[in-house]
Amino acid sequence: MEDYGVTGARVDLEATVDLPPERLWDLITSVPRLGEWSPECEYAAWLGAPALREGQRFEARNRRQDMVWSVTCVVTEAQRPSSFAWLVLDGRDDPDRPSSSWRYDLLPGASPEQTVVRHSFVHGPGGSGLRDMIENNPQIASFILEVRLEELRRHMYETLAAMTGTSPQITQPA
C-alpha cells in the first residue's frame, strides 16, 4: 500500500514564552490538564499511578470536526526541566510502529523568565485517521496532508498560548 508521504510528515514549532523553564515544564507535563488547553484533545488522564517517567502511559480523547477518537500514549522521555516526549499508539499498541510522536524541548530564553520552546509532531508508520483519510482519497493526498499539518501547527501554537496564558513569539518560521 502506498504511503503518500504520511510516514515522517512533521510539524516543528519554535517559540519563546514569558515563563521560566521550570514553570513551563510543570505545565507541559500536566497531562490531565491538556483538555483545558488543546483545541483538539478534550480529555487526558494517566493510566495507573501518575509517575512522570519513561514507559508511563496515559489516555486521551480527541475531537476534530465530527470525529471523536481515543488513544493510548506512552512517555518516551521526561527530563526535568528540558524535555518531554511521548508516542501515540495505534490499535496494535506497538511502540515500534506508533501513530505519531510528540516532543517538547525547553531551552533557556534571553532572560531567566523566558523559555524557548521547540515543539514537534512526527507522523509514524502506524495507523491513524489521517492515514485512513488519505488512503480513501489518494487523488487529493497531498492536499489532505498539507491541510492537516497546518491545522496541527495552529493547534500546537494555540495549546501553548492557552497553557501559558501568553502570546508566544514564533522564533522560527514554519
Side-chain angles (χ1 to χ4, degrees), residues 7 54 57 72 74 76 86-90 92-101 122-127 131:
T7 300
E54 188 175 318
R57 290 181 177 227
T72 299
V74 59
T76 57
W86 67 95
L87 300 174
V88 177
L89 304 175
D90 69 7
R92 290 174 284 191
D93 201 38
D94 181 355
D96 292 329
R97 293 188 54 80
S99 173
S100 61
S101 60
V122 180
H123 201 287
R131 188 175 300 282

Side-chain angles (χ1 to χ4, degrees), residues 41-104:
C41 176
E42 58 183 22
Y43 163 84
W46 292 108
L47 295 171
L52 201 50
R53 67 178 190 287
E54 188 175 318
Q56 179 70 30
R57 290 181 177 227
F58 62 94
E59 63 184 355
R61 183 178 59 246
N62 299 316
R63 179 180 303 276
R64 179 177 178 261
Q65 298 167 356
D66 60 349
M67 300 172 289
V68 177
W69 68 100
S70 295
V71 295
T72 299
C73 304
V74 59
V75 174
T76 57
E77 189 173 338
Q79 298 293 320
R80 182 181 187 89
S82 59
S83 58
F84 181 55
W86 67 95
L87 300 174
V88 177
L89 304 175
D90 69 7
R92 290 174 284 191
D93 201 38
D94 181 355
D96 292 329
R97 293 188 54 80
S99 173
S100 61
S101 60
W102 292 83
R103 180 177 189 87
Y104 282 98

